[in-house]
Amino acid sequence: PRLLFFGAASLYAALFYALKTKATRVGEVTSILEEEVKKEQEFRNLRSTVADTELLQEKLNELFISTEEIVPTIEHIESLGTHARVSVAFDTVNVEQGGGTVPYLKLQFRAGGDFSSLFYFLSLLESLPLKISFERVSLQKSGGEKGRPGQISGAWSGAFTMNIYSFVDEGKP
C-alpha cells in the first residue's frame, strides 16, 4: 500500500508539474496571440483610414509640384496669361536649394499687355493653390520699344521672379 501511495503521489506530482508547465506555455501563447490580434486590428484600422482619406490625399497631392509636373505648371501659367490677355515668356526655370536642403522651383518670366491685364495676371498667379512667393515683381510702361529682340509686346511689361515652395524634388533623397 505504501508503494502504491508513493507511486500514485509521484504520478500525481508529475502530472501536476506537466499540467502547470503546459498552463504556463498556454498562457504565453495566448499572450502572443492577443498581441498579434491587436497588431492585426491596428493594421486594419490604419488600412481603413488610408482608404477613407484617399480623396483627401489626392487633393493634398494637387498642392505640390513634382519634377514631372514642371512643364504642365509652366503651361498652366502661360494659360493664365492667355486668360488675362497678356503674352508670357519664360526666361529661366530652375530647381534651387533653399535653407540648405529644401528644394524649391524658381521661375523667371516676363509678361506684356495693358496695365489692367498685367495686374489681373498677377492676381491669378497669387491665387494658385501652391505655396509661392514673389521675389521680384516689376511693372513698367513699355514706351514704344516693341519688336526689339527679347522684348515682349504690349503697352506695359512685367518681370517676375516667382518661387514655388510646394515643390517636391523626387530625385533627391
Side-chain angles (χ1 to χ4, degrees):
R2 278 190 177 187
L3 190 58
L4 190 58
F5 175 74
F6 282 123
S10 297
L11 181 63
Y12 176 77
L15 286 174
F16 180 76
Y17 178 75
L19 192 58
K20 186 177 177 184
T21 305
K22 291 280 184 190
T24 303
R25 181 69 185 138
V26 166
E28 291 172 357
V29 169
T30 302
S31 177
I32 291 170
L33 286 175
E34 287 173 351
E35 287 179 28
E36 291 299 319
V37 166
K38 188 176 180 181
K39 286 179 185 178
E40 178 68 24
Q41 185 62 37
E42 288 174 358
F43 178 72
R44 284 186 185 147
N45 290 342
L46 181 60
R47 190 170 29 181
S48 174
T49 300
V50 169
D52 291 345
T53 59
E54 192 170 326
L55 184 61
L56 292 172
Q57 292 170 39
E58 289 176 17
K59 287 182 179 180
L60 185 61
N61 284 339
E62 291 174 5
L63 301 177
F64 290 90
I65 296 173
S66 67
T67 50
E68 292 83 27
E69 296 165 327
I70 292 175
V71 172
T73 300
I74 291 169
E75 290 171 345
H76 181 65
I77 291 172
E78 288 173 336
S79 73
L80 292 176
T82 302
H83 178 74
R85 294 191 173 118
V86 298
S87 55
V88 178
F90 279 84
D91 297 321
T92 61
V93 176
N94 294 313
V95 175
E96 302 280 332
Q97 293 296 328
T101 59
V102 180
Y104 64 93
L105 191 61
K106 184 174 195 166
L107 308 173
Q108 293 180 322
F109 54 97
R110 294 169 287 125
D114 61 48
F115 183 81
S116 62
S117 297
L118 278 173
F119 200 77
Y120 178 57
F121 175 62
L122 180 60
S123 70
L124 291 175
L125 291 174
E126 289 175 331
S127 67
L128 285 171
L130 302 169
K131 183 176 181 185
I132 63 171
S133 74
F134 288 95
E135 191 174 306
R136 178 181 142 202
V137 174
S138 172
L139 301 176
Q140 61 185 349
K141 189 143 177 78
S142 295
E145 297 180 20
K146 295 180 195 171
R148 207 174 80 184
Q151 205 56 12
I152 223 156
S153 63
W156 285 80
S157 64
F160 305 89
T161 301
M162 184 171 82
N163 299 326
I164 300 177
Y165 294 105
S166 51
F167 173 73
V168 179
D169 191 357
E170 294 167 342
K172 300 282 180 176

